[in-house]
Amino acid sequence: MRRRRRAATLGVLVGLAVVTVAACENGSGRPWAAGTSPTRSTDRVLSPGPVVAEASPVAPTPQAPATEPPSQVPTPTATALPAAMAAVSLPTVSLPTVSLPTVSLPPVPVPPIGPPPTPGAGIPGRLFGRDWDRIPTDRKVVALTFDAGANADGVGQILATLTREHVPATFFLTGDFADDYPAQARNIAVGGFRLGNYSATHPSFTTLTDSAIRDQVLGAEHDIRVATGGDPRPLFRFPFGDRDQRTIAAVNTLGYVTVRWTVDTLGWQGTSGGGSAESVTSRVVAALTPGEIVLMHLGSHPRDHSTLDADALPEIIKALRDRGYGFVTLASLLA
């Protein structure tokens, strides 16, 4: 009998011990509910309450978990802003509207497609196809012209006379003259006198091919421009006055107007040829007409070295003025 009582007492003590251990494991002083795991919770650390022994393993009514005081809950510092900063209201900034000026770019010129324009373009077509021997006018004017194909012996005297008398004139230069006498050629241009093209080497044009004519005209043009800085276009004179319709057309194609003369003074024949300053003047006066084109030369005679045109020039100017004539360049032909 005593043994059964001791066994019962012992069983009760063992049962109480089991209930106590379970309560400690649960951390709440209560036994684990049926069907739950007695695993230790690692989410929070709570202060253990007093151990209460339950008389029977009846599951308690569920209660809300105890909460910790706010002071014991740390506030995340990585994502939360302080209350003072969160309360700050930033002002709204309105940026002014910027109005950009309208830029108008000039149109870009587009080069024309096709062959380049003919040199001397813009010259009246009525001047082509003819070798002009006078200026077509009723005015009492004369154009004094000087050919430079030999030497430059008369240049200084002629320029001095023209400058002193304020008389304009036209000078036809060969390319050879411009190369051989660049200083005198430049003095002509600097004096403000009109320039003309007299070929490169002074050949007879009727013996040349169209290709050779082109070389003569453009070659002289280049040499004259280099020596004088002036442009002989669009005036051209045939050496020896040798021309025909083919050669006139060939020169016109290069943009030049061909100009002959009304009277040749024959001063180039020199004293050895029977000439004199008086004979030169007489020829000019005898052929006098409105628009007269007078042919003279810059150089001296190759043998007697006379310069009859230069010597006669002052008297020619006086004689023409006495008859009511003035002086123009061949630019009047282009007007």
Side-chain angles (χ1 to χ4, degrees), residues 64 101 160 212 261 270 272:
W261 53 85
S272 60

Side-chain angles (χ1 to χ4, degrees), residues 7-297:
T9 302
L10 181 62
V12 172
L13 293 176
V14 171
L16 290 175
V18 171
V19 171
T20 302
V21 171
C24 292
E25 288 295 330
N26 192 17
S28 64
R30 298 183 181 88
W32 287 99
T36 60
S37 172
T39 305
R40 182 184 299 272
S41 172
T42 58
D43 294 338
R44 295 184 301 170
V45 178
L46 301 177
S47 300
V51 178
V52 179
E54 296 288 344
S56 64
V58 180
T61 302
Q63 297 181 5
T67 58
E68 297 178 326
S71 60
Q72 297 182 6
V73 180
T75 301
T77 59
T79 57
L81 293 175
M85 294 182 63
V88 174
S89 177
L90 297 177
T92 301
V93 179
S94 299
L95 296 177
T97 302
V98 179
S99 178
L100 297 178
T102 302
V103 179
S104 298
L105 296 177
V108 178
V110 178
I113 300 175
T118 302
I123 298 173
R126 61 180 175 78
L127 298 178
F128 289 156
R130 176 177 173 181
D131 195 21
W132 293 85
D133 56 12
R134 64 177 290 272
I135 299 171
T137 181
D138 294 330
R139 296 171 53 214
K140 297 178 71 172
V141 293
V142 172
L144 301 179
T145 67
F146 298 86
D147 286 358
N151 58 62
D153 290 349
V155 173
Q157 184 180 349
I158 290 171
L159 291 181
T161 300
L162 294 174
T163 301
R164 182 180 66 251
E165 297 295 333
H166 304 287
V167 173
T170 304
F171 291 78
F172 288 93
L173 311 182
T174 64
D176 282 350
F177 182 90
D179 288 341
D180 294 341
Y181 305 101
Q184 289 86 340
R186 181 153 186 83
N187 287 340
I188 294 170
V190 170
F193 299 102
R194 186 80 186 201
L195 298 176
N197 189 324
Y198 195 33
S199 81
T201 61
H202 201 271
S204 176
F205 267 50
T206 56
T207 66
L208 302 178
T209 65
D210 289 354
S211 176
I213 290 174
R214 179 182 180 86
D215 292 341
Q216 283 287 327
V217 174
L218 298 185
E221 177 184 311
H222 172 268
D223 293 343
I224 293 168
R225 290 169 67 94
V226 170
T228 68
D231 192 343
R233 296 178 300 177
L235 301 173
F236 180 84
R237 175 167 284 167
F238 287 104
F240 311 109
D242 185 19
R243 84 282 193 220
D244 55 22
Q245 285 305 123
R246 179 186 69 88
T247 55
I248 291 173
V251 173
N252 290 162
T253 299
L254 299 173
Y256 282 87
V257 176
T258 62
V259 184
R260 193 173 172 81
W261 53 85
T262 307
V263 60
D264 180 353
T265 66
L266 300 181
W268 54 270
Q269 292 180 349
T271 55
S272 60
S276 65
E278 291 75 14
S279 66
V280 167
T281 302
S282 296
R283 287 183 61 84
V284 174
V285 172
L288 188 58
T289 185
E292 178 184 39
I293 300 174
V294 180
L295 168 62
M296 292 182 280
H297 289 80

